[in-house]
Amino acid sequence: MRRLIALLVVVSCLAFVPVASATTTVSGTVTAEDGSTDGARVEVVPLTQQQQRADGSVTTTIEGSSFSVDAPDAPSYAVRVSYGGATHYEILQNQTQVSMDLTERVSGTIRNPDGSGTEGAVIEVVDGDEFVVDTYRTNATGSFAFGPLESDETYEIRAAVGDAEYRRTVGPSTTDSVTITAQPPTSDTSILNVANRSPTGHVVQMLPAQNASTNPSVVETVAFENPTDRPFVGTVTIGLPADASPYAAMVGGEQAQYRRTDTGVQLNVSVPANGTTQIGAAYDLTGRQFEKQVVRNTSSLAVVLQGYNTSKVSHSENLRVGSSPISLLTTTGSLDAGETISVDVSGAQMEASAAGAGATSDSGSSADASSSAVETSSSESGSIPSFPGVPILGGIFGSVLVGLGAYRVADAGLSVSGEE
């Protein structure tokens, strides 16, 4: 009996012995022109291929100008270096070493239309991965300054004046001062374009029925670009198919109130000067066919057919099967405002098990994966992945409003609209 008790004690103790997991050494150098980086804090976050947090982060400090730390094995890593009051980021893919040269500075002035300085404007400097590196509030003369910054990085200066936002891109090794004139906003929608981003600024995602209905739902997102020096503040409409029933909407990564009109879903939108804003709507169809007129000229459009067999889908001649790991249709060329696109998914829905597996494969993660892998100081920062949700094309392009679809399933029957 004593031997049995002893054996049980040993086994129970072994159950609490931590199992060593595989690690990878992540190292690098961080240099600064105006002083040593010794003692600066470094955080390494393991990431999945879809740029989601894969494991717990590890931290260390720089000794002299270098650091080295063992992190859990992962396909890629996010490295965050806190130095000089700012936070610098580097995404490592297929590599484990980072080199940062913090030797550049960016300064400038925010001016009112009459030429006077704009005091109290909030300025952010954002890196090429959409991470907010530092923030500043302009002084009495409207001036601002950031640094030290990376010498080989392209940054975007974002200035918030009242309810309007202004943006300016500065390239590596910029020495000239940046001047932004806070022109008054406009509500003229003609200045907006569908963003000509790669591979597309307009995504339509068709989802199999999530309730007793046999009709699919649609989550549609459009990235609007404002190429002018004046911010846009006004209303924008997402066109709907006939008899579609909207149930949720999004503006710039946040759930938004909307108004159903004869032409579609109308949203209050702010698009920064020289910037973009993504908007979206989720709606149910009354049949198996999606058909609508394009409201604006667009260089490309993609229809993601989640849970459907593309070979069994009928579609208009201006669409073709895309070269992608998932079910996808793309436009054969640019579309003009008023041109009609149509997709019929009758008899094309895959079996529940296959569709579920495909949905997991398409997104690369569950809805919970929309949480940020790296916390930053802004809701529009480069958290991994950036809003509005989980990637739908395995990293091929952007994100869609998966969160809105999940909201519909979880809270069916709860109205979130401002519909009139």
Side-chain angles (χ1 to χ4, degrees):
M1 178 62 70
R2 290 181 179 179
R3 290 182 179 179
L4 177 59
I5 294 175
L7 179 61
L8 290 175
V9 170
V10 171
V11 171
S12 63
C13 290
L14 289 176
F16 291 95
V17 174
V19 178
S21 59
T23 61
T24 296
T25 300
V26 178
S27 61
T29 58
V30 182
T31 57
E33 183 180 52
D34 57 350
S36 170
T37 59
D38 186 71
R41 184 175 183 271
V42 178
E43 181 179 7
V44 178
V45 182
L47 304 177
T48 66
Q49 291 181 343
Q50 288 76 34
Q51 302 299 285
Q52 298 289 336
R53 182 188 290 270
D55 209 323
S57 62
V58 293
T59 60
T60 187
T61 55
I62 295 176
E63 296 183 5
S65 61
S66 62
F67 71 90
S68 179
V69 65
D70 290 335
D73 277 350
S76 58
Y77 298 91
V79 178
R80 177 164 54 186
V81 178
S82 301
Y83 175 77
T87 307
H88 308 275
Y89 300 85
E90 197 75 39
I91 304 298
L92 301 180
Q93 293 181 320
N94 301 318
Q95 58 178 319
T96 58
Q97 289 187 315
V98 62
S99 178
M100 287 187 183
D101 180 34
L102 305 178
T103 57
E104 296 299 325
R105 296 184 178 275
V106 173
S107 62
T109 305
I110 309 297
R111 298 192 181 280
N112 298 311
D114 62 5
S116 61
T118 305
E119 183 178 5
V122 177
I123 314 295
E124 292 181 335
V125 58
V126 183
D127 68 15
D129 291 317
E130 288 290 301
F131 288 105
V132 176
V133 175
D134 202 357
T135 59
Y136 190 90
R137 189 177 292 272
T138 56
N139 59 22
T141 63
S143 299
F144 64 88
F146 293 102
L149 301 174
E150 294 185 64
S151 60
D152 59 352
E153 181 68 84
T154 296
Y155 293 97
E156 187 174 59
I157 304 300
R158 298 180 179 178
V161 181
D163 295 331
E165 187 176 343
Y166 306 79
R167 298 186 179 182
R168 182 70 57 81
T169 299
V170 293
S173 303
T174 298
T175 57
D176 296 335
S177 179
V178 177
T179 300
I180 298 176
T181 301
Q183 298 287 352
T186 178
S187 60
D188 182 5
T189 58
S190 66
I191 70 171
L192 301 179
N193 304 316
V194 177
N196 185 19
R197 57 175 54 173
S198 178
T200 181
H202 192 164
V203 179
V204 175
Q205 185 183 30
M206 296 187 67
L207 306 167
Q210 301 292 328
N211 46 42
S213 170
T214 59
N215 300 325
S217 295
V218 173
V219 179
E220 184 170 355
T221 59
V222 184
F224 279 106
E225 177 184 52
N226 176 8
T228 74
D229 291 330
R230 296 183 63 182
F232 171 86
V233 178
T235 59
V236 171
T237 299
I238 296 179
L240 294 180
D243 300 325
S245 302
Y247 57 81
M250 177 277 290
V251 174
E254 300 292 336
Q255 185 175 302
Q257 298 293 306
Y258 67 90
R259 177 188 304 174
R260 173 67 189 271
T261 68
D262 292 339
T263 56
V265 170
Q266 188 180 80
L267 298 161
N268 294 324
V269 177
S270 176
V271 186
N274 299 299
T276 61
T277 295
Q278 190 172 42
I279 69 173
Y283 49 90
D284 289 329
L285 299 178
T286 56
R288 302 290 186 88
Q289 184 174 13
F290 168 85
E291 180 175 293
K292 64 171 285 186
Q293 286 187 333
V294 178
V295 176
R296 292 175 174 271
N297 297 341
T298 181
S299 59
S300 64
L301 180 148
V303 181
V304 180
L305 300 166
Q306 183 171 328
Y308 293 100
N309 186 337
T310 311
S311 64
K312 297 181 179 181
V313 172
S314 301
H315 54 81
S316 52
E317 292 184 354
N318 51 13
L319 296 175
R320 61 179 175 82
V321 176
S323 55
S324 167
I326 69 169
S327 299
L328 174 71
L329 300 176
T330 61
T331 50
T332 57
S334 60
L335 298 176
D336 295 329
E339 193 169 347
T340 299
I341 59 172
S342 65
V343 178
D344 192 334
V345 295
S346 299
Q349 185 169 342
M350 294 187 290
E351 295 294 334
S353 58
T360 302
S361 175
D362 295 347
S363 66
S365 58
S366 67
D368 293 338
S370 60
S371 60
S372 299
V374 179
E375 296 179 0
T376 54
S377 59
S378 169
S379 62
E380 289 199 26
S381 65
S383 55
I384 303 172
S386 58
F387 189 85
V390 298
I392 59 168
L393 298 183
I396 294 179
F397 69 91
S399 301
V400 292
L401 297 176
V402 175
L404 287 181
Y407 181 91
R408 173 63 165 177
V409 175
D411 297 300
L414 176 63
S415 173
V416 297
S417 74
E419 184 175 343
E420 297 181 359

